[in-house]
Amino acid sequence: MTNVDLVIIGGGPGGYVAAIRAAQLGLNTVCVEMDRTLGGTCVNVGCIPSKALLESSHHFAFLGHDAAAHGISLADLKIDVATMQKRKDEVVGQNTKGIEFLFRKNKITWAKGQGTLKANNVVEVRGAPPDNNITSYQAKNVIIATGSVPIELPFLKFDEQRVLSNVGALTIPKVPQHLIVIGGGVIGLELGSVWRRLGAKVTVIELLPAILPGMDDDVVKEADRVLRKQGLDIRVGTRVVGGGRTDNGVFVEVEKDGAKERLEADHVLVSVGRRPSTTGIDAAALGLTLGRRGEILVDDQMRTNLPNVYAIGDCVPGPMLAHKAEEEGVVAAEVIAGKPVHMHYRNIPGIVYTWPEIAVVGLTERQVKESGREYRVGKFPFSANGRARTAGETQGFVKFVADARTDEILGCHMIGPNVSELVPEVVLAMEYRGSTDDIGVTIHGHPTLSETVKEAALAALGRAIHI
């Protein structure tokens, strides 16, 4: 048995970032990962490959629909899906190899295999078949970073051929005639957008009254309008009551207002959420405290109820976001190293990489209104922004919600071109409990998309210039 300072179970965004930070702090660190590559869901079958496909399909859509306005004409435009998929795989490979390089640079041991947490912080790692060799580590500290898995529907079990999770939706070999997406959240809309841009008919079925549950009402309304205009068939308030395989594809039975309908398609993407995964963690045997969804309960220093055992990422409460997991990993590593840090969740941005993009941080207007707090709203449309006009990308807006008395920014909600790159300014301001006036008096370059943020902040103060 090998004695080490820290064993991390899971090599996803939370796990590998925790490993790097721990190594920087001088801890002898082992990261256990059973997949053949590091990076977890995000790098291998989530954030990175989906953005690669979104980028490729965005170029295709631009050339097919928008290039003519720029004086660019193309004849016989076509998509080579195999080449697009090959590029996606190469992008993923660059990222996974980059993480392996960082492990070598920081002298982190990658224990390849299935990790199991035993009593007294012993971690057993079973290697791959046929050898199945077991290596044991006695850890002073353990970080559980076992992630999450997609939720299945009982009548639509994943086979990744016709009934797809996010994994199968990334590897469809040709553009389907019809793709059904169950779930109008982030994953469903992003992957549905990929295949719609390439020519597929895409039907999105959402049980709730609107897509993008939990987001600001104005953003949801605009996203629904724009995505429908792009050709997505969005059906809200619709329940999926059955489904299965056919000879050549799948069928899905839906019900709305008492009326039932059978839909047939080449594939169905089931994106109704994810649940915490605790593979290799026998919570009952260890006495580890779990929540009602199976998530591992932790405090603001990522400590579980077990001595020197921490947990981070999708397997703990909070939004299932890679950047949230990364920050929790840093916090856990620094706590283990004796630093006085803690995790807070007030200002974690959320991003949807449709086009236009959506980026949000803080409270929605509805949440602030329901709290009884007096507030002001400021909005500024991209249609009034010079840089957006030059790009021909004028859909959407930036919206601030601010405290009416103190002017503190309570929330910011954006839908528009490249807003994923605009929201960090607001996140930073909110970390310092900044006001809309702070952003409004800050000089922004001209002409830039970021001026919409300044103008929306000024609008909250009643003094926007360009509208």
Side-chain angles (χ1 to χ4, degrees):
M1 187 178 297
T2 304
N3 293 305
V4 296
D5 295 325
L6 171 63
V7 172
I8 300 166
I9 304 175
Y16 85 72
V17 168
I20 292 170
R21 184 65 185 122
Q24 289 175 342
L25 293 166
L27 300 176
N28 181 7
T29 302
V30 174
C31 184
V32 182
E33 176 53 60
M34 61 183 176
D35 290 341
R36 57 185 179 84
T37 55
L38 295 165
T41 293
C42 175
V43 174
N44 290 280
V45 291
C47 322
I48 300 303
S50 65
K51 303 314 166 282
L53 293 183
L54 280 160
E55 192 70 24
S56 296
S57 64
H58 180 63
H59 289 313
F60 183 80
F62 170 79
L63 292 172
H65 302 288
D66 302 314
H70 295 262
I72 303 169
S73 59
L74 292 168
D76 193 28
L77 183 66
K78 56 186 176 182
I79 182 73
D80 184 338
V81 174
T83 299
M84 182 183 71
Q85 293 284 15
K86 181 174 180 289
R87 177 186 178 273
K88 174 208 70 181
D89 294 340
E90 289 171 350
V91 170
V92 170
Q94 291 165 1
N95 279 269
T96 57
K97 287 181 176 64
I99 299 169
E100 290 182 40
F101 166 77
L102 292 172
F103 269 37
R104 292 192 297 271
K105 175 186 174 184
N106 290 281
K107 297 180 173 57
I108 299 164
T109 299
W110 174 11
K112 300 180 181 181
Q114 170 70 58
T116 302
L117 180 60
K118 300 289 188 179
N120 302 315
N121 293 355
V122 171
V123 178
E124 291 184 352
V125 181
R126 181 180 293 275
D131 296 333
N132 296 313
N133 294 329
I134 294 179
T135 305
S136 296
Y137 296 93
Q138 176 63 67
K140 292 180 183 177
N141 301 277
V142 173
I143 297 177
I144 302 170
T146 45
S148 63
V149 293
I151 296 171
E152 285 187 317
L153 294 177
F155 44 81
L156 285 171
K157 297 286 187 180
F158 296 129
D159 59 24
E160 305 302 3
Q161 300 297 318
R162 296 294 181 180
V163 182
L164 312 174
S165 69
N166 58 290
V167 178
L170 293 167
T171 59
I172 298 174
K174 65 178 182 179
V175 178
Q177 289 186 329
H178 187 196
L179 171 68
I180 296 173
V181 177
I182 301 176
V186 177
I187 294 173
L189 293 178
E190 287 185 356
L191 292 175
S193 291
V194 167
W195 297 107
R196 175 66 198 98
R197 293 170 186 170
L198 299 179
K201 175 185 177 182
V202 176
T203 302
V204 179
I205 301 167
E206 171 57 52
L207 175 63
L208 296 177
I211 58 173
L212 297 169
M215 288 202 172
D216 186 84
D217 293 343
D218 287 345
V219 166
V220 171
K221 183 179 179 180
E222 177 72 356
D224 185 274
R225 183 189 69 80
V226 172
L227 293 173
R228 288 180 190 272
K229 187 176 179 181
Q230 292 174 3
L232 289 175
D233 178 10
I234 298 174
R235 305 187 182 194
V236 295
T238 303
R239 179 183 298 275
V240 176
V241 295
R245 292 283 299 263
T246 64
D247 291 340
N248 300 311
V250 291
F251 73 94
V252 173
E253 296 171 336
V254 300
E255 182 179 351
K256 181 174 184 178
D257 300 329
K260 292 185 177 180
E261 184 180 359
R262 176 184 167 111
L263 305 174
E264 296 197 2
D266 304 76
H267 308 276
V268 59
L269 165 59
V270 180
S271 54
V272 294
R274 299 179 66 87
R275 60 176 177 81
S277 172
T278 51
T279 301
I281 312 298
D282 188 337
L286 294 167
L288 179 66
T289 302
L290 302 180
R292 62 181 181 82
R293 298 185 304 108
E295 73 275 25
I296 300 171
L297 299 185
V298 292
D299 64 13
D300 66 356
Q301 292 188 314
M302 312 318 299
R303 300 178 188 270
T304 72
N305 65 303
L306 302 180
N308 299 322
V309 176
Y310 302 75
I312 61 174
D314 286 4
C315 66
V316 304
M320 291 183 175
L321 299 169
H323 44 282
K324 172 255 197 188
E326 290 180 354
E327 197 59 32
E328 288 174 335
V330 170
V331 168
E334 292 186 351
V335 168
I336 290 168
K339 293 186 175 294
V341 297
H342 70 280
M343 184 72 192
H344 74 84
Y345 300 91
R346 289 191 306 274
N347 302 322
I348 297 176
I351 301 167
V352 188
Y353 293 90
T354 51
W355 195 262
E357 293 181 340
I358 299 167
V360 302
V361 61
L363 301 175
T364 66
E365 181 180 355
R366 178 181 294 189
Q367 288 172 324
V368 176
K369 185 175 183 179
E370 289 175 349
S371 73
R373 194 170 184 171
E374 292 186 18
Y375 68 93
R376 292 195 303 263
V377 170
K379 288 177 71 175
F380 190 83
F382 279 93
S383 60
N385 173 262
R387 185 63 186 273
R389 286 173 179 155
T390 66
E393 300 288 355
T394 56
Q395 297 178 113
F397 56 83
V398 175
K399 173 181 176 179
F400 277 98
V401 183
D403 186 283
R405 183 176 60 85
T406 66
D407 192 36
E408 180 181 352
I409 300 167
L410 304 177
C412 184
H413 311 276
M414 310 177 180
I415 177 169
N418 297 114
V419 293
S420 60
E421 306 295 344
L422 302 185
V423 75
E425 167 185 9
V426 182
V427 176
L428 180 62
M430 291 176 68
E431 279 295 289
Y432 287 90
R433 300 194 68 175
S435 65
T436 59
D437 187 63
D438 291 327
I439 290 179
V441 300
T442 300
I443 298 173
H444 290 61
H446 175 78
T448 62
L449 296 175
S450 68
E451 289 175 286
T452 57
V453 180
K454 175 185 174 74
E455 292 273 11
L458 290 173
L461 299 165
R463 60 177 200 259
I465 300 296
H466 289 94
I467 195 171

